[in-house]
Amino acid sequence: MATNLRPLIEARIRTQIPAFKEVAGAADLTNVMAGRLSDAGCYIFHERVMATESDLIGATMQRLAVSFAVLIAVRNVRDARGGDAADASYLLQASVKSALLGWCPDGSADPLEYSGGALVPFVNGFFIWKESFITHQFIRSGV
């Protein structure tokens, strides 16, 4: 069985980026948006898993592409248009990329790769940006 990497990513961000006031795991985007957000908060969840077909006979071994979302939430009420919050978020985005890009969470996964970012609709005055990272793991049975 593949290792759950989400707690390892959470711990990495917590130790590498002290600017975050809160770093937490979540089940999905809906749960993050419905919960209490911190200024500057970081929330990590599994985004997607895709598997390749198995080439083995009498057993199954598949390579998984495992995608994680890292949500960055910042708030700056002094700027009504959100420019200051966007700038603060940009700095945190760079810190997250620096902490995770090429980092190998454990022996069961490949180093993390960046797969993109996107603005998430504002909630309660928070500027929310989602960064996505991907890694690969193997699962097997019958071996």
Side-chain angles (χ1 to χ4, degrees):
M1 190 54 72
T3 302
N4 179 6
L5 302 175
R6 194 217 41 83
L8 301 176
I9 293 170
E10 181 182 332
R12 172 79 173 180
I13 291 171
R14 186 175 288 115
T15 60
Q16 296 289 310
I17 310 171
F20 283 121
K21 293 183 178 121
E22 178 178 44
V23 178
D28 56 27
L29 180 60
T30 303
N31 282 309
V32 171
M33 304 305 268
R36 178 188 57 83
L37 297 174
S38 290
D39 173 30
C42 181
Y43 309 93
I44 303 102
F45 57 90
H46 283 90
E47 193 169 35
R48 185 176 181 168
V49 177
M50 296 203 40
T52 61
E53 292 185 27
S54 180
D55 294 337
L56 299 178
I57 298 172
T60 301
M61 183 169 76
Q62 294 177 277
R63 186 171 191 241
L64 303 178
V66 183
S67 177
F68 292 91
V70 178
L71 239 57
I72 299 167
V74 296
R75 186 177 200 173
N76 189 325
V77 295
R78 290 172 285 157
D79 179 2
R81 290 186 177 88
D84 290 344
D87 292 344
S89 176
Y90 183 82
L91 294 174
L92 291 169
Q93 293 166 38
S95 295
V96 167
K97 286 182 193 94
S98 179
L100 297 182
L101 188 63
W103 173 66
C104 191
D106 75 355
S108 75
D110 292 341
L112 292 174
E113 298 175 16
Y114 181 68
S115 60
L119 182 64
V120 175
F122 284 65
V123 172
N124 297 329
F126 280 90
F127 179 93
I128 302 172
W129 184 266
K130 180 183 77 151
E131 296 280 34
S132 295
F133 291 86
I134 191 166
T135 187
H136 295 90
Q137 294 179 297
F138 284 94
I139 56 173
R140 60 182 74 194
S141 69
V143 195

Tab-separated table of all heavy atoms in Angstrom, residues 76-142:
chain	number	residue	atom	x	y	z
A	76	ASN	N	-5.820	40.967	3.533
A	76	ASN	CA	-5.309	42.310	3.766
A	76	ASN	C	-6.465	43.268	3.555
A	76	ASN	O	-6.854	43.549	2.422
A	76	ASN	CB	-4.147	42.631	2.828
A	76	ASN	CG	-3.476	43.930	3.195
A	76	ASN	OD1	-4.117	44.870	3.634
A	76	ASN	ND2	-2.159	43.976	3.028
A	77	VAL	N	-7.043	43.747	4.637
A	77	VAL	CA	-8.245	44.579	4.556
A	77	VAL	C	-7.940	46.035	4.206
A	77	VAL	O	-8.845	46.792	3.909
A	77	VAL	CB	-9.061	44.513	5.869
A	77	VAL	CG1	-9.590	43.117	6.087
A	77	VAL	CG2	-8.213	44.942	7.060
A	78	ARG	N	-6.658	46.429	4.226
A	78	ARG	CA	-6.311	47.808	3.888
A	78	ARG	C	-6.462	48.097	2.400
A	78	ARG	O	-6.607	49.234	2.000
A	78	ARG	CB	-4.877	48.119	4.331
A	78	ARG	CG	-4.745	48.186	5.852
A	78	ARG	CD	-3.310	48.306	6.255
A	78	ARG	NE	-2.728	46.965	6.061
A	78	ARG	CZ	-1.456	46.706	5.880
A	78	ARG	NH1	-0.589	47.668	5.835
A	78	ARG	NH2	-1.029	45.479	5.731
A	79	ASP	N	-6.408	47.078	1.570
A	79	ASP	CA	-6.489	47.253	0.121
A	79	ASP	C	-7.796	46.645	-0.380
A	79	ASP	O	-7.939	45.431	-0.454
A	79	ASP	CB	-5.288	46.569	-0.542
A	79	ASP	CG	-5.292	46.668	-2.050
A	79	ASP	OD1	-6.203	47.289	-2.622
A	79	ASP	OD2	-4.368	46.108	-2.671
A	80	ALA	N	-8.761	47.479	-0.725
A	80	ALA	CA	-10.098	47.012	-1.122
A	80	ALA	C	-10.083	46.140	-2.371
A	80	ALA	O	-10.971	45.310	-2.561
A	80	ALA	CB	-11.016	48.213	-1.345
A	81	ARG	N	-9.094	46.295	-3.226
A	81	ARG	CA	-9.048	45.518	-4.472
A	81	ARG	C	-8.241	44.222	-4.336
A	81	ARG	O	-8.165	43.429	-5.266
A	81	ARG	CB	-8.489	46.376	-5.593
A	81	ARG	CG	-9.452	47.474	-5.993
A	81	ARG	CD	-8.939	48.225	-7.208
A	81	ARG	NE	-9.901	49.225	-7.611
A	81	ARG	CZ	-9.937	50.463	-7.147
A	81	ARG	NH1	-9.068	50.849	-6.226
A	81	ARG	NH2	-10.837	51.314	-7.579
A	82	GLY	N	-7.604	44.010	-3.216
A	82	GLY	CA	-6.895	42.754	-2.971
A	82	GLY	C	-5.476	42.689	-3.487
A	82	GLY	O	-4.843	41.640	-3.417
A	83	GLY	N	-4.945	43.789	-4.011
A	83	GLY	CA	-3.585	43.767	-4.546
A	83	GLY	C	-2.529	43.429	-3.519
A	83	GLY	O	-1.603	42.662	-3.789
A	84	ASP	N	-2.647	44.003	-2.319
A	84	ASP	CA	-1.672	43.708	-1.268
A	84	ASP	C	-1.741	42.241	-0.844
A	84	ASP	O	-0.714	41.606	-0.599
A	84	ASP	CB	-1.894	44.611	-0.048
A	84	ASP	CG	-1.526	46.062	-0.326
A	84	ASP	OD1	-0.831	46.330	-1.324
A	84	ASP	OD2	-1.942	46.931	0.468
A	85	ALA	N	-2.961	41.712	-0.764
A	85	ALA	CA	-3.119	40.295	-0.414
A	85	ALA	C	-2.529	39.407	-1.511
A	85	ALA	O	-1.889	38.394	-1.217
A	85	ALA	CB	-4.591	39.964	-0.189
A	86	ALA	N	-2.727	39.791	-2.758
A	86	ALA	CA	-2.161	39.019	-3.870
A	86	ALA	C	-0.641	39.024	-3.807
A	86	ALA	O	0.006	37.989	-4.040
A	86	ALA	CB	-2.646	39.578	-5.208
A	87	ASP	N	-0.055	40.167	-3.469
A	87	ASP	CA	1.401	40.248	-3.344
A	87	ASP	C	1.912	39.388	-2.192
A	87	ASP	O	2.925	38.691	-2.325
A	87	ASP	CB	1.835	41.697	-3.137
A	87	ASP	CG	1.595	42.568	-4.372
A	87	ASP	OD1	1.375	42.012	-5.471
A	87	ASP	OD2	1.615	43.804	-4.222
A	88	ALA	N	1.218	39.423	-1.059
A	88	ALA	CA	1.604	38.591	0.089
A	88	ALA	C	1.495	37.111	-0.272
A	88	ALA	O	2.358	36.304	0.089
A	88	ALA	CB	0.735	38.921	1.297
A	89	SER	N	0.436	36.766	-0.991
A	89	SER	CA	0.249	35.380	-1.421
A	89	SER	C	1.376	34.943	-2.353
A	89	SER	O	1.876	33.827	-2.251
A	89	SER	CB	-1.099	35.224	-2.127
A	89	SER	OG	-1.241	33.919	-2.631
A	90	TYR	N	1.769	35.826	-3.247
A	90	TYR	CA	2.828	35.496	-4.206
A	90	TYR	C	4.117	35.101	-3.478
A	90	TYR	O	4.785	34.137	-3.863
A	90	TYR	CB	3.075	36.676	-5.152
A	90	TYR	CG	4.104	36.362	-6.206
A	90	TYR	CD1	3.743	35.657	-7.352
A	90	TYR	CD2	5.430	36.741	-6.048
A	90	TYR	CE1	4.689	35.343	-8.318
A	90	TYR	CE2	6.378	36.434	-7.003
A	90	TYR	CZ	5.998	35.736	-8.139
A	90	TYR	OH	6.937	35.419	-9.085
A	91	LEU	N	4.457	35.836	-2.433
A	91	LEU	CA	5.660	35.508	-1.662
A	91	LEU	C	5.534	34.137	-0.992
A	91	LEU	O	6.495	33.359	-0.957
A	91	LEU	CB	5.925	36.591	-0.616
A	91	LEU	CG	6.293	37.969	-1.180
A	91	LEU	CD1	6.382	38.993	-0.059
A	91	LEU	CD2	7.588	37.907	-1.971
A	92	LEU	N	4.348	33.838	-0.460
A	92	LEU	CA	4.132	32.526	0.158
A	92	LEU	C	4.138	31.413	-0.883
A	92	LEU	O	4.634	30.312	-0.625
A	92	LEU	CB	2.827	32.531	0.956
A	92	LEU	CG	2.867	33.395	2.220
A	92	LEU	CD1	1.470	33.551	2.802
A	92	LEU	CD2	3.831	32.804	3.245
A	93	GLN	N	3.594	31.689	-2.062
A	93	GLN	CA	3.630	30.702	-3.153
A	93	GLN	C	5.075	30.335	-3.488
A	93	GLN	O	5.402	29.154	-3.663
A	93	GLN	CB	2.953	31.256	-4.403
A	93	GLN	CG	1.469	31.478	-4.294
A	93	GLN	CD	0.951	32.328	-5.426
A	93	GLN	OE1	1.384	32.209	-6.567
A	93	GLN	NE2	0.014	33.220	-5.124
A	94	ALA	N	5.934	31.346	-3.566
A	94	ALA	CA	7.346	31.094	-3.861
A	94	ALA	C	7.986	30.260	-2.759
A	94	ALA	O	8.780	29.348	-3.040
A	94	ALA	CB	8.087	32.422	-4.030
A	95	SER	N	7.625	30.519	-1.513
A	95	SER	CA	8.162	29.746	-0.389
A	95	SER	C	7.701	28.292	-0.446
A	95	SER	O	8.479	27.369	-0.173
A	95	SER	CB	7.735	30.364	0.943
A	95	SER	OG	8.303	31.628	1.097
A	96	VAL	N	6.437	28.074	-0.799
A	96	VAL	CA	5.905	26.712	-0.910
A	96	VAL	C	6.635	25.966	-2.025
A	96	VAL	O	7.059	24.814	-1.849
A	96	VAL	CB	4.377	26.723	-1.143
A	96	VAL	CG1	3.876	25.353	-1.571
A	96	VAL	CG2	3.660	27.184	0.121
A	97	LYS	N	6.819	26.610	-3.164
A	97	LYS	CA	7.545	25.958	-4.270
A	97	LYS	C	8.965	25.614	-3.846
A	97	LYS	O	9.470	24.525	-4.131
A	97	LYS	CB	7.554	26.856	-5.500
A	97	LYS	CG	6.235	26.936	-6.214
A	97	LYS	CD	6.372	27.817	-7.463
A	97	LYS	CE	5.038	28.186	-8.029
A	97	LYS	NZ	4.518	29.470	-7.549
A	98	SER	N	9.613	26.540	-3.152
A	98	SER	CA	10.978	26.303	-2.703
A	98	SER	C	11.055	25.113	-1.736
A	98	SER	O	11.989	24.316	-1.789
A	98	SER	CB	11.511	27.571	-2.031
A	98	SER	OG	12.806	27.374	-1.562
A	99	ALA	N	10.056	24.978	-0.863
A	99	ALA	CA	10.045	23.895	0.128
A	99	ALA	C	9.703	22.539	-0.480
A	99	ALA	O	10.190	21.506	-0.011
A	99	ALA	CB	9.056	24.214	1.241
A	100	LEU	N	8.860	22.525	-1.518
A	100	LEU	CA	8.346	21.247	-2.016
A	100	LEU	C	8.941	20.777	-3.344
A	100	LEU	O	9.053	19.568	-3.567
A	100	LEU	CB	6.826	21.318	-2.162
A	100	LEU	CG	6.033	21.536	-0.872
A	100	LEU	CD1	4.532	21.529	-1.165
A	100	LEU	CD2	6.382	20.504	0.180
A	101	LEU	N	9.309	21.675	-4.217
A	101	LEU	CA	9.798	21.289	-5.543
A	101	LEU	C	11.070	20.454	-5.430
A	101	LEU	O	12.062	20.889	-4.853
A	101	LEU	CB	10.054	22.537	-6.386
A	101	LEU	CG	10.396	22.297	-7.848
A	101	LEU	CD1	9.219	21.635	-8.562
A	101	LEU	CD2	10.740	23.612	-8.532
A	102	GLY	N	11.016	19.229	-5.929
A	102	GLY	CA	12.163	18.335	-5.886
A	102	GLY	C	12.361	17.600	-4.572
A	102	GLY	O	13.242	16.755	-4.453
A	103	TRP	N	11.523	17.900	-3.581
A	103	TRP	CA	11.628	17.239	-2.277
A	103	TRP	C	11.001	15.852	-2.355
A	103	TRP	O	9.933	15.654	-2.924
A	103	TRP	CB	10.933	18.087	-1.219
A	103	TRP	CG	10.836	17.444	0.131
A	103	TRP	CD1	11.861	17.139	0.972
A	103	TRP	CD2	9.640	17.042	0.796
A	103	TRP	NE1	11.371	16.568	2.130
A	103	TRP	CE2	10.006	16.496	2.044
A	103	TRP	CE3	8.289	17.082	0.458
A	103	TRP	CZ2	9.077	16.002	2.942
A	103	TRP	CZ3	7.370	16.592	1.345
A	103	TRP	CH2	7.765	16.054	2.581
A	104	CYS	N	11.663	14.872	-1.776
A	104	CYS	CA	11.168	13.494	-1.764
A	104	CYS	C	10.621	13.190	-0.366
A	104	CYS	O	11.384	13.107	0.593
A	104	CYS	CB	12.299	12.543	-2.114
A	104	CYS	SG	11.738	10.870	-2.427
A	105	PRO	N	9.279	13.045	-0.244
A	105	PRO	CA	8.664	12.857	1.075
A	105	PRO	C	9.139	11.611	1.818
A	105	PRO	O	9.326	11.645	3.025
A	105	PRO	CB	7.173	12.763	0.788
A	105	PRO	CG	6.990	13.284	-0.581
A	105	PRO	CD	8.287	13.094	-1.300
A	106	ASP	N	9.311	10.521	1.108
A	106	ASP	CA	9.820	9.289	1.723
A	106	ASP	C	10.226	8.334	0.615
A	106	ASP	O	10.120	8.651	-0.568
A	106	ASP	CB	8.799	8.663	2.693
A	106	ASP	CG	7.644	7.968	2.002
A	106	ASP	OD1	7.537	8.024	0.759
A	106	ASP	OD2	6.828	7.353	2.698
A	107	GLY	N	10.669	7.134	0.994
A	107	GLY	CA	11.154	6.171	0.008
A	107	GLY	C	10.091	5.588	-0.903
A	107	GLY	O	10.411	4.924	-1.882
A	108	SER	N	8.814	5.837	-0.605
A	108	SER	CA	7.749	5.257	-1.422
A	108	SER	C	7.303	6.173	-2.561
A	108	SER	O	6.436	5.813	-3.332
A	108	SER	CB	6.526	4.935	-0.544
A	108	SER	OG	5.821	6.119	-0.212
A	109	ALA	N	7.897	7.371	-2.657
A	109	ALA	CA	7.428	8.339	-3.646
A	109	ALA	C	8.592	9.009	-4.361
A	109	ALA	O	9.691	9.118	-3.827
A	109	ALA	CB	6.574	9.409	-2.960
A	110	ASP	N	8.317	9.460	-5.581
A	110	ASP	CA	9.280	10.251	-6.336
A	110	ASP	C	9.298	11.680	-5.790
A	110	ASP	O	8.362	12.101	-5.099
A	110	ASP	CB	8.876	10.296	-7.817
A	110	ASP	CG	8.996	8.944	-8.505
A	110	ASP	OD1	9.711	8.061	-7.985
A	110	ASP	OD2	8.374	8.783	-9.567
A	111	PRO	N	10.332	12.449	-6.128
A	111	PRO	CA	10.352	13.865	-5.723
A	111	PRO	C	9.123	14.607	-6.268
A	111	PRO	O	8.616	14.291	-7.347
A	111	PRO	CB	11.639	14.397	-6.348
A	111	PRO	CG	12.512	13.193	-6.505
A	111	PRO	CD	11.567	12.062	-6.814
A	112	LEU	N	8.659	15.591	-5.515
A	112	LEU	CA	7.485	16.355	-5.920
A	112	LEU	C	7.796	17.255	-7.108
A	112	LEU	O	8.878	17.841	-7.189
A	112	LEU	CB	6.978	17.217	-4.759
A	112	LEU	CG	6.384	16.451	-3.571
A	112	LEU	CD1	6.052	17.416	-2.449
A	112	LEU	CD2	5.153	15.691	-3.982
A	113	GLU	N	6.830	17.356	-8.005
A	113	GLU	CA	6.902	18.245	-9.158
A	113	GLU	C	5.754	19.236	-9.072
A	113	GLU	O	4.669	18.898	-8.593
A	113	GLU	CB	6.770	17.449	-10.463
A	113	GLU	CG	7.859	16.436	-10.677
A	113	GLU	CD	7.618	15.594	-11.925
A	113	GLU	OE1	6.788	15.989	-12.775
A	113	GLU	OE2	8.254	14.538	-12.047
A	114	TYR	N	5.969	20.437	-9.555
A	114	TYR	CA	4.935	21.457	-9.583
A	114	TYR	C	4.048	21.215	-10.796
A	114	TYR	O	4.531	20.967	-11.896
A	114	TYR	CB	5.589	22.838	-9.671
A	114	TYR	CG	4.619	23.986	-9.688
A	114	TYR	CD1	3.852	24.299	-8.572
A	114	TYR	CD2	4.480	24.776	-10.823
A	114	TYR	CE1	2.975	25.364	-8.581
A	114	TYR	CE2	3.601	25.845	-10.836
A	114	TYR	CZ	2.850	26.136	-9.717
A	114	TYR	OH	1.980	27.194	-9.727
A	115	SER	N	2.724	21.260	-10.600
A	115	SER	CA	1.832	21.036	-11.739
A	115	SER	C	0.908	22.212	-12.029
A	115	SER	O	0.089	22.133	-12.932
A	115	SER	CB	1.030	19.739	-11.558
A	115	SER	OG	0.243	19.786	-10.403
A	116	GLY	N	1.029	23.309	-11.285
A	116	GLY	CA	0.265	24.507	-11.625
A	116	GLY	C	-0.378	25.166	-10.430
A	116	GLY	O	-0.369	24.646	-9.319
A	117	GLY	N	-0.928	26.342	-10.693
A	117	GLY	CA	-1.596	27.095	-9.647
A	117	GLY	C	-2.794	27.827	-10.207
A	117	GLY	O	-2.895	28.043	-11.420
A	118	ALA	N	-3.719	28.218	-9.330
A	118	ALA	CA	-4.931	28.919	-9.767
A	118	ALA	C	-5.550	29.684	-8.605
A	118	ALA	O	-5.457	29.272	-7.452
A	118	ALA	CB	-5.947	27.930	-10.335
A	119	LEU	N	-6.194	30.778	-8.951
A	119	LEU	CA	-6.943	31.560	-7.983
A	119	LEU	C	-8.246	30.845	-7.656
A	119	LEU	O	-8.923	30.339	-8.544
A	119	LEU	CB	-7.237	32.946	-8.556
A	119	LEU	CG	-7.972	33.925	-7.659
A	119	LEU	CD1	-7.137	34.271	-6.435
A	119	LEU	CD2	-8.306	35.194	-8.452
A	120	VAL	N	-8.567	30.795	-6.373
A	120	VAL	CA	-9.825	30.214	-5.904
A	120	VAL	C	-10.716	31.400	-5.514
A	120	VAL	O	-10.208	32.410	-5.022
A	120	VAL	CB	-9.565	29.289	-4.692
A	120	VAL	CG1	-10.856	28.757	-4.112
A	120	VAL	CG2	-8.645	28.138	-5.104
A	121	PRO	N	-12.019	31.323	-5.712
A	121	PRO	CA	-12.883	32.459	-5.360
A	121	PRO	C	-12.649	32.938	-3.928
A	121	PRO	O	-12.448	32.142	-3.017
A	121	PRO	CB	-14.297	31.895	-5.517
A	121	PRO	CG	-14.150	30.811	-6.534
A	121	PRO	CD	-12.783	30.218	-6.287
A	122	PHE	N	-12.680	34.254	-3.756
A	122	PHE	CA	-12.485	34.866	-2.441
A	122	PHE	C	-13.574	34.402	-1.480
A	122	PHE	O	-14.715	34.215	-1.871
A	122	PHE	CB	-12.579	36.394	-2.553
A	122	PHE	CG	-11.370	37.037	-3.143
A	122	PHE	CD1	-10.988	36.796	-4.456
A	122	PHE	CD2	-10.610	37.900	-2.379
A	122	PHE	CE1	-9.882	37.414	-5.004
A	122	PHE	CE2	-9.497	38.534	-2.926
A	122	PHE	CZ	-9.131	38.286	-4.243
A	123	VAL	N	-13.196	34.214	-0.211
A	123	VAL	CA	-14.139	33.853	0.838
A	123	VAL	C	-13.875	34.754	2.035
A	123	VAL	O	-12.731	34.829	2.516
A	123	VAL	CB	-13.974	32.368	1.249
A	123	VAL	CG1	-14.819	32.048	2.463
A	123	VAL	CG2	-14.313	31.451	0.102
A	124	ASN	N	-14.888	35.431	2.522
A	124	ASN	CA	-14.771	36.283	3.717
A	124	ASN	C	-13.568	37.228	3.667
A	124	ASN	O	-12.876	37.416	4.660
A	124	ASN	CB	-14.709	35.430	4.984
A	124	ASN	CG	-15.981	34.641	5.184
A	124	ASN	OD1	-17.060	35.075	4.795
A	124	ASN	ND2	-15.860	33.468	5.780
A	125	GLY	N	-13.300	37.783	2.496
A	125	GLY	CA	-12.199	38.731	2.360
A	125	GLY	C	-10.827	38.106	2.223
A	125	GLY	O	-9.822	38.803	2.207
A	126	PHE	N	-10.731	36.781	2.128
A	126	PHE	CA	-9.447	36.101	1.968
A	126	PHE	C	-9.114	35.944	0.488
A	126	PHE	O	-9.965	35.575	-0.329
A	126	PHE	CB	-9.482	34.702	2.605
A	126	PHE	CG	-9.310	34.710	4.085
A	126	PHE	CD1	-10.407	34.815	4.924
A	126	PHE	CD2	-8.048	34.627	4.651
A	126	PHE	CE1	-10.253	34.819	6.288
A	126	PHE	CE2	-7.885	34.630	6.022
A	126	PHE	CZ	-8.993	34.731	6.843
A	127	PHE	N	-7.863	36.209	0.146
A	127	PHE	CA	-7.314	35.905	-1.177
A	127	PHE	C	-6.812	34.469	-1.084
A	127	PHE	O	-5.960	34.161	-0.242
A	127	PHE	CB	-6.161	36.861	-1.494
A	127	PHE	CG	-5.521	36.619	-2.832
A	127	PHE	CD1	-5.953	37.314	-3.947
A	127	PHE	CD2	-4.491	35.705	-2.976
A	127	PHE	CE1	-5.363	37.106	-5.187
A	127	PHE	CE2	-3.896	35.480	-4.205
A	127	PHE	CZ	-4.339	36.188	-5.317
A	128	ILE	N	-7.337	33.584	-1.914
A	128	ILE	CA	-7.001	32.160	-1.798
A	128	ILE	C	-6.416	31.663	-3.117
A	128	ILE	O	-7.033	31.792	-4.175
A	128	ILE	CB	-8.234	31.332	-1.404
A	128	ILE	CG1	-8.778	31.853	-0.076
A	128	ILE	CG2	-7.882	29.852	-1.299
A	128	ILE	CD1	-10.084	31.257	0.337
A	129	TRP	N	-5.235	31.098	-3.012
A	129	TRP	CA	-4.513	30.580	-4.177
A	129	TRP	C	-4.245	29.102	-3.955
A	129	TRP	O	-3.843	28.689	-2.868
A	129	TRP	CB	-3.188	31.327	-4.351
A	129	TRP	CG	-2.447	30.919	-5.579
A	129	TRP	CD1	-1.473	29.973	-5.675
A	129	TRP	CD2	-2.626	31.439	-6.892
A	129	TRP	NE1	-1.032	29.880	-6.970
A	129	TRP	CE2	-1.730	30.776	-7.737
A	129	TRP	CE3	-3.471	32.416	-7.437
A	129	TRP	CZ2	-1.637	31.050	-9.097
A	129	TRP	CZ3	-3.376	32.686	-8.790
A	129	TRP	CH2	-2.466	32.011	-9.605
A	130	LYS	N	-4.441	28.301	-4.997
A	130	LYS	CA	-4.193	26.853	-4.910
A	130	LYS	C	-2.981	26.498	-5.747
A	130	LYS	O	-2.931	26.785	-6.940
A	130	LYS	CB	-5.404	26.072	-5.409
A	130	LYS	CG	-5.196	24.560	-5.352
A	130	LYS	CD	-6.383	23.816	-5.929
A	130	LYS	CE	-6.322	23.891	-7.415
A	130	LYS	NZ	-6.896	22.798	-8.138
A	131	GLU	N	-1.998	25.894	-5.113
A	131	GLU	CA	-0.837	25.334	-5.799
A	131	GLU	C	-1.014	23.828	-5.857
A	131	GLU	O	-1.478	23.226	-4.879
A	131	GLU	CB	0.462	25.662	-5.042
A	131	GLU	CG	0.800	27.121	-4.973
A	131	GLU	CD	1.440	27.657	-6.242
A	131	GLU	OE1	1.100	27.190	-7.341
A	131	GLU	OE2	2.281	28.553	-6.131
A	132	SER	N	-0.659	23.218	-6.974
A	132	SER	CA	-0.767	21.763	-7.113
A	132	SER	C	0.608	21.155	-7.349
A	132	SER	O	1.411	21.684	-8.124
A	132	SER	CB	-1.698	21.397	-8.272
A	132	SER	OG	-3.007	21.823	-7.993
A	133	PHE	N	0.834	20.039	-6.670
A	133	PHE	CA	2.078	19.289	-6.814
A	133	PHE	C	1.730	17.827	-7.082
A	133	PHE	O	0.692	17.340	-6.643
A	133	PHE	CB	2.923	19.396	-5.539
A	133	PHE	CG	3.475	20.769	-5.320
A	133	PHE	CD1	2.718	21.736	-4.671
A	133	PHE	CD2	4.734	21.112	-5.778
A	133	PHE	CE1	3.208	23.009	-4.479
A	133	PHE	CE2	5.231	22.392	-5.584
A	133	PHE	CZ	4.464	23.347	-4.943
A	134	ILE	N	2.630	17.149	-7.792
A	134	ILE	CA	2.376	15.752	-8.136
A	134	ILE	C	3.618	14.918	-7.820
A	134	ILE	O	4.744	15.400	-7.901
A	134	ILE	CB	1.979	15.620	-9.628
A	134	ILE	CG1	1.449	14.239	-9.935
A	134	ILE	CG2	3.124	16.011	-10.546
A	134	ILE	CD1	0.737	14.139	-11.267
A	135	THR	N	3.362	13.679	-7.425
A	135	THR	CA	4.427	12.710	-7.227
A	135	THR	C	3.923	11.365	-7.749
A	135	THR	O	2.765	11.243	-8.148
A	135	THR	CB	4.845	12.601	-5.747
A	135	THR	OG1	5.997	11.744	-5.653
A	135	THR	CG2	3.738	12.067	-4.868
A	136	HIS	N	4.794	10.380	-7.747
A	136	HIS	CA	4.410	9.043	-8.209
A	136	HIS	C	4.775	8.011	-7.154
A	136	HIS	O	5.816	8.121	-6.505
A	136	HIS	CB	5.097	8.716	-9.538
A	136	HIS	CG	4.652	9.612	-10.640
A	136	HIS	ND1	5.294	10.796	-10.924
A	136	HIS	CD2	3.609	9.532	-11.483
A	136	HIS	CE1	4.672	11.392	-11.924
A	136	HIS	NE2	3.645	10.656	-12.283
A	137	GLN	N	3.868	7.051	-6.984
A	137	GLN	CA	4.072	5.927	-6.068
A	137	GLN	C	3.651	4.651	-6.791
A	137	GLN	O	2.986	4.706	-7.828
A	137	GLN	CB	3.199	6.067	-4.820
A	137	GLN	CG	3.547	7.243	-3.932
A	137	GLN	CD	2.617	7.326	-2.745
A	137	GLN	OE1	1.428	7.524	-2.895
A	137	GLN	NE2	3.172	7.192	-1.548
A	138	PHE	N	4.017	3.511	-6.238
A	138	PHE	CA	3.605	2.213	-6.780
A	138	PHE	C	2.709	1.496	-5.779
A	138	PHE	O	2.929	1.602	-4.565
A	138	PHE	CB	4.816	1.328	-7.098
A	138	PHE	CG	5.533	1.735	-8.352
A	138	PHE	CD1	6.611	2.593	-8.284
A	138	PHE	CD2	5.115	1.271	-9.587
A	138	PHE	CE1	7.270	2.990	-9.435
A	138	PHE	CE2	5.775	1.651	-10.739
A	138	PHE	CZ	6.858	2.509	-10.667
A	139	ILE	N	1.720	0.807	-6.296
A	139	ILE	CA	0.936	-0.118	-5.478
A	139	ILE	C	1.054	-1.480	-6.139
A	139	ILE	O	1.197	-1.589	-7.357
A	139	ILE	CB	-0.548	0.310	-5.330
A	139	ILE	CG1	-1.216	0.474	-6.687
A	139	ILE	CG2	-0.650	1.571	-4.490
A	139	ILE	CD1	-2.717	0.722	-6.614
A	140	ARG	N	0.975	-2.518	-5.326
A	140	ARG	CA	1.089	-3.869	-5.873
A	140	ARG	C	0.321	-4.864	-5.032
A	140	ARG	O	0.074	-4.642	-3.853
A	140	ARG	CB	2.535	-4.285	-6.010
A	140	ARG	CG	3.298	-4.302	-4.724
A	140	ARG	CD	4.751	-4.674	-4.899
A	140	ARG	NE	5.447	-3.550	-5.478
A	140	ARG	CZ	6.662	-3.591	-6.007
A	140	ARG	NH1	7.329	-4.716	-5.998
A	140	ARG	NH2	7.235	-2.545	-6.514
A	141	SER	N	-0.049	-5.946	-5.665
A	141	SER	CA	-0.696	-7.045	-4.954
A	141	SER	C	-0.263	-8.367	-5.591
A	141	SER	O	0.218	-8.379	-6.730
A	141	SER	CB	-2.216	-6.928	-5.022
A	141	SER	OG	-2.650	-7.169	-6.348
A	142	GLY	N	-0.406	-9.437	-4.881
A	142	GLY	CA	-0.104	-10.757	-5.424
A	142	GLY	C	1.369	-11.002	-5.680
A	142	GLY	O	1.709	-11.903	-6.419
